[in-house]
Amino acid sequence: MKSVDQEEISRRRGIYFQGFGIYGGLSGLYDYGPYGSRIKDKVISEWKETMLSEGNVAEFDGTTITHTDVLKASGHYDRFFDYSVECESCHTKFRADDLVEKKGVPAVLDRQWLQDKIRELGIKCERCQGDLGEVKIQKLMFSVDQGEGMEPLFLRPETAQGMFVNFKEYYRFFREKLPFAMITVGRGYRNEISPRRALYRLREFNMMECESFFDPQNEMWIHDPADDVRVAFLTTDGVEIKASPKEAHEKGIVKSQPMAYFMGLALRFYSRVGIDLERMRFRKHRKEELSHYSSETWDAEALTDLGWIEITGIAHRGTYDLTNHMKHSGKDLYAQRVIPKREVNRAIKEIDYQKVKSESPESSAKIIAALKEGKTSITIGNQVIDLNRFVTEKEEKVTIDREDFVPVVIEPAFGFDRIFYTILDHNLSSREDSGYVLLKIPYTISPYNAAILPLMNKDDLDTKARSIFEDLLKKKFSVIYDDAGSIGKRYSRYDEVGIVYCITIDYDTIKGGDVTIRHRDTKEQVRIKIEDIPDYLGTDPWDGKKN
RNA sequence: GCGAGUGUAGUGUAGCGGUAGCACAAAAGCUUCCCAAGCUUUUAACCCGGGUCCGAAUCCCGGCACUCGCACCA
């Protein structure tokens, strides 16, 4: 396969291009054009279909503006500022707080403090011993101004948090049974220091994320991992093993069963959208790459003209997110498991309301409130009141058959834009004979069902073609009409954007009521009756015959 | 963000102090009975802002963008 310049063709054919072109562009912000948007929609619905077909998966659609406390709990807020300092002679960049901590001094995240400390400790460039420059601050999340006197809000750096903070809603939706998973598709925002390489690193990007929740005592998905497709697994020892997700799990390469399961789902999705599994691998994160809360993380990587790029991350997040949201919000995000019935003694406190009322009639409301909060004393005016005398402790026997636990989370997070890039990379090719470009994406994600082309632009061929076009539109097919240029040129035009079928209206159409349908990859044609077109386009009869 | 390089119609390029040319694409017409045919016509660009100069796409400065390295990448 000859190499094709993806960016050039995407710009030229309106698949994607840099945003704000007339104003000089903005880095890391790309728009999807007419063809790109259609392909995008279809890829996303393939993903949703793949995930939702599990049965115990539901969808969620959350806001992009995010409550600041959510980001404090998730840890993003603390990483909001990146304090960097650069060597003035060799221009190597370091994290200012890291340099200070390496000297055994706990860092304070403050620009001036770090600046002073570096000077005070006489820290030099680690590489060349040169002098370090000013400490600079990089904002890593985008903030949203709320107006004067109000704290700014932030745009979400990932879609995942919405699924954690609403955990109880979903838990109820699934009638309090684990495991289940939530999925969401939406935009996220990260102020990357140097966004680069077209769709690879964006500042505003599309994510397709899934959060699955498990009882840690039974960390199993409801189905077995896929066994019908083998792909490369790259372990931390640098060993590459070809295995199916099921085998990888059984051999202990992938420890977590659900993780192996989601790998299988990911592979199913990739192949449905035309990603070449021969150019895919799962790579395990080394210890130093792992987030501190994760016990196991695998990246799905695709080989493209950018090299191996990460297109999906499957991370074991443990109980990190839910625990932190419980801590920060003070709300219960537990799930419950059924345990064998047993009797336990439970201490209960009974408040003697009569006594409160009679002893301090004017302060009774305050006292009762304090008692309910579990306080043992309260100060009213300048008098300290001991609350214990209003409470009698009792023990009672209760039967319990439930216990609380924090669910563990496994997150397969798909980066849409990188997947889109990979789809184009794996499917853009040029014909052996002519060198003309064709985009061999599957029919399911092709931007239109077909292009309707009159062979000639005269002798009623055009009016006949028009009426077929209008009729297909009415029947909800996505079709495009084109009568400009020679027929070969038009075929080629639609090859480039991945349209699988071209329907040509010729002189026999007028006589016999049939048309030719030409297939993109093989250039072969079949004749079918006009009235059979909808069925034909509905079933993709060429499926399976493709190269 | 730093360093180096680059920025000319939609795309790919030529011009590199005298006011922009080519190819492909696109549009109109003619022609054409199935794979970018041909002919005629047309549309369309010097990234933005300053400076030097009689004159700047060309030289200088600043910005923006892109590419490559460094750093960053939850």
Side-chain angles (χ1 to χ4, degrees):
Chain A
M1 198 193 297
K2 287 178 205 164
S3 80
V4 179
D5 185 344
Q6 175 185 142
E7 268 195 83
E8 189 263 320
I9 201 155
S10 293
R11 215 174 310 145
R12 188 156 53 76
R13 300 315 309 268
I15 297 173
Y16 67 83
F17 40 83
Q18 193 179 23
F20 311 104
I22 66 164
Y23 289 107
L26 268 176
S27 65
L29 299 173
Y30 276 72
D31 291 336
Y32 287 91
Y35 290 116
S37 301
R38 293 198 67 94
I39 298 171
K40 175 173 180 259
D41 270 1
K42 294 192 168 192
V43 171
I44 288 171
S45 48
E46 282 302 308
W47 183 79
K48 285 187 185 174
E49 236 172 72
T50 306
M51 304 304 287
L52 291 172
S53 68
E54 288 300 298
N56 61 340
V57 178
E59 191 178 348
F60 147 78
D61 184 22
T63 61
T64 56
I65 296 178
T66 301
H67 196 295
T68 305
D69 289 344
V70 170
L71 299 163
K72 285 182 178 167
S74 69
H76 289 99
Y77 188 85
D78 293 334
R79 291 188 292 264
F80 178 24
F81 294 119
D82 181 34
Y83 298 89
S84 68
V85 62
E86 192 179 308
C87 170
E88 287 179 334
S89 50
C90 75
H91 300 293
T92 307
K93 210 172 168 183
F94 302 95
R95 284 187 58 136
D97 46 326
D98 278 357
L99 291 177
V100 170
E101 293 205 337
K102 277 183 191 163
K103 296 281 174 189
V105 181
V108 175
L109 293 179
D110 176 83
R111 203 190 69 81
Q112 197 54 50
W113 186 93
L114 288 164
Q115 184 76 70
D116 295 344
K117 251 326 178 227
I118 285 172
R119 224 156 265 164
E120 190 185 315
L121 295 168
I123 299 175
K124 298 281 180 187
C125 172
E126 286 184 350
R127 188 176 288 184
C128 74
Q129 296 304 309
D131 287 333
L132 298 172
E134 292 276 297
V135 172
K136 288 178 181 165
I137 299 175
Q138 174 72 33
K139 262 176 135 185
L140 299 173
M141 287 195 288
F142 286 106
S143 52
V144 181
D145 186 16
Q146 282 204 90
E148 218 173 308
M150 295 176 88
E151 288 285 309
L153 294 169
F154 295 95
L155 295 177
R156 63 184 178 191
E158 62 179 21
T159 58
Q161 296 306 322
M163 293 184 269
F164 302 132
V165 298
N166 297 327
F167 172 71
K168 280 279 162 158
E169 306 290 333
Y170 311 138
Y171 186 53
R172 217 177 306 133
F173 174 84
F174 284 104
R175 298 198 321 282
E176 309 192 354
K177 283 191 190 71
L178 296 185
F180 67 82
M182 295 301 299
I183 61 167
T184 195
V185 176
R187 294 182 184 253
Y189 306 81
R190 295 178 194 177
N191 192 16
E192 297 287 349
I193 300 168
S194 102
R196 222 174 261 186
R197 290 174 161 182
L199 298 183
Y200 181 67
R201 184 168 303 150
L202 297 170
R203 295 196 290 170
E204 174 171 342
F205 50 96
N206 297 281
M207 283 180 283
M208 305 185 290
E209 290 196 302
C210 171
E211 305 298 333
S212 55
F213 299 92
F214 298 86
D215 181 339
Q217 290 183 0
N218 183 28
E219 223 181 287
M220 299 280 281
W221 190 247
I222 53 170
H223 301 121
D224 279 340
D227 200 24
D228 56 338
V229 53
R230 293 163 71 86
V231 71
F233 287 80
L234 184 63
T235 68
T236 49
D237 312 323
V239 181
E240 195 171 295
I241 299 156
K242 274 253 180 185
S244 70
K246 190 178 182 194
E247 290 163 350
H249 174 55
E250 285 165 357
K251 287 181 184 163
I253 298 166
V254 177
K255 287 204 190 69
S256 152
Q257 184 266 8
M259 200 168 273
Y261 185 77
F262 288 121
M263 286 171 165
L265 269 194
L267 294 176
R268 193 192 306 169
F269 163 66
Y270 297 149
S271 72
R272 281 169 70 162
V273 295
I275 289 176
D276 177 11
L277 297 188
E278 291 297 313
R279 283 181 271 176
M280 284 296 313
R281 70 180 183 198
F282 288 109
R283 187 180 68 80
K284 189 175 183 175
H285 276 209
R286 294 182 306 276
K287 235 186 179 158
E288 63 272 21
E289 275 182 281
L290 280 178
S291 314
H292 61 280
Y293 50 77
S294 181
S295 56
E296 187 176 16
T297 297
W298 287 83
D299 283 345
E301 297 183 328
L303 184 61
T304 68
D305 62 357
L306 298 175
W308 286 100
I309 62 170
E310 177 197 340
I311 61 172
T312 299
I314 305 180
H316 198 296
R317 300 180 69 122
T319 58
Y320 176 84
D321 301 280
L322 291 177
T323 306
N324 278 307
H325 283 305
M326 279 200 270
K327 213 185 324 175
H328 280 79
S329 66
K331 297 293 191 301
D332 162 16
L333 296 175
Y334 290 109
Q336 292 188 316
R337 70 170 72 91
V338 176
I339 54 169
K341 269 192 188 172
R342 61 188 160 111
E343 287 208 326
V344 292
N345 291 324
R346 188 159 63 186
I348 51 163
K349 287 182 178 177
E350 248 174 31
I351 298 170
D352 189 337
Y353 292 98
Q354 287 310 317
K355 199 172 177 184
V356 176
K357 222 174 176 180
S358 61
E359 285 192 19
S360 338
E362 61 287 345
S363 315
S364 58
K366 278 183 184 168
I367 292 170
I368 288 166
L371 283 166
K372 286 193 168 166
E373 284 173 31
K375 288 181 181 162
T376 52
S377 68
I378 184 174
T379 310
I380 293 173
N382 45 15
Q383 199 186 352
V384 179
I385 302 171
D386 174 25
L387 296 178
N388 287 324
R389 62 200 158 93
F390 299 120
V391 177
T392 38
E393 300 225 358
K394 276 187 186 170
E395 261 195 4
E396 75 176 3
K397 278 195 189 313
V398 287
T399 310
I400 56 163
D401 60 358
R402 295 290 188 100
E403 69 182 1
D404 286 344
F405 66 91
V406 184
V408 298
V409 169
I410 292 173
E411 172 196 80
F414 295 70
F416 172 80
D417 309 277
R418 292 174 178 190
I419 286 171
F420 190 92
Y421 185 91
T422 304
I423 292 169
L424 294 191
D425 187 274
H426 285 192
N427 289 282
L428 269 176
S429 52
S430 53
R431 294 201 189 276
E432 295 274 318
D433 45 359
S434 56
Y436 296 141
V437 172
L438 73 158
L439 179 63
K440 295 170 96 167
I441 49 176
Y443 184 60
T444 43
I445 63 161
S446 172
Y448 286 87
N449 291 116
I452 310 301
L453 318 171
L455 183 62
M456 292 293 143
N457 209 2
K458 59 176 185 183
D459 301 330
D460 277 346
L461 292 183
D462 50 346
T463 47
K464 186 71 194 165
R466 271 261 162 218
S467 81
I468 292 173
F469 170 68
E470 301 282 351
D471 187 55
L472 286 171
L473 282 179
K474 271 190 207 121
K475 293 188 168 119
K476 312 279 189 226
F477 285 95
S478 62
V479 283
I480 197 161
Y481 180 85
D482 189 352
D483 59 10
S486 71
I487 192 70
K489 193 173 195 171
R490 280 178 277 161
Y491 286 151
S492 201
R493 190 139 58 200
Y494 298 107
D495 286 348
E496 273 187 349
V497 292
I499 294 177
V500 182
Y501 298 111
C502 283
I503 297 178
T504 305
I505 286 73
D506 58 19
Y507 288 93
D508 293 338
T509 309
I510 311 278
K511 279 183 256 157
D514 55 7
V515 295
T516 66
I517 296 195
R518 177 255 194 196
H519 185 256
R520 178 192 65 205
D521 299 351
T522 60
K523 293 157 86 174
E524 282 171 41
Q525 298 184 337
V526 293
R527 285 205 84 85
I528 64 163
K529 292 277 169 204
I530 292 170
E531 56 271 26
D532 293 337
I533 298 173
D535 272 354
Y536 196 94
L537 294 180
T539 55
D540 185 22
W542 286 78
D543 192 30
K545 288 195 222 167
K546 282 176 249 177
N547 302 340

